[in-house]
Amino acid sequence: MAFATATAASAQTAPPAQDTSPQTAADPRGGYQPTAPLFSAPPQPGQPVIFVPDPQTPAQAYPAPPPLPHYPICKRGQFDKCRQRGG
């Protein structure tokens, strides 16, 4: 026979991950989102909207960052700018 008890649910919060990597202009902490909106106003009804593909290749549009001089071993919860153990 199984018994169940009801208790108040509590929020499970984990401490925020500490990003110890230095912020550079080539690798902004906020990401690569645009600084301004794409359009100043939404298009008017009936106005033609033309989508043109970007002529750049993905490697040109999003170039790889330059390699770091040293990659330390990753700590728990760290995945960027480090290397995995044993490989």
Side-chain angles (χ1 to χ4, degrees), residues 17-65:
Q18 298 294 326
D19 185 10
T20 58
S21 59
Q23 180 179 359
T24 63
D27 189 20
R29 192 176 302 269
Y32 295 101
Q33 68 265 19
T35 57
L38 182 61
F39 300 109
S40 58
Q44 297 298 319
Q47 180 181 4
V49 178
I50 301 171
F51 293 97
V52 180
D54 192 354
Q56 292 182 329
T57 65
Q60 292 170 332
Y62 303 102

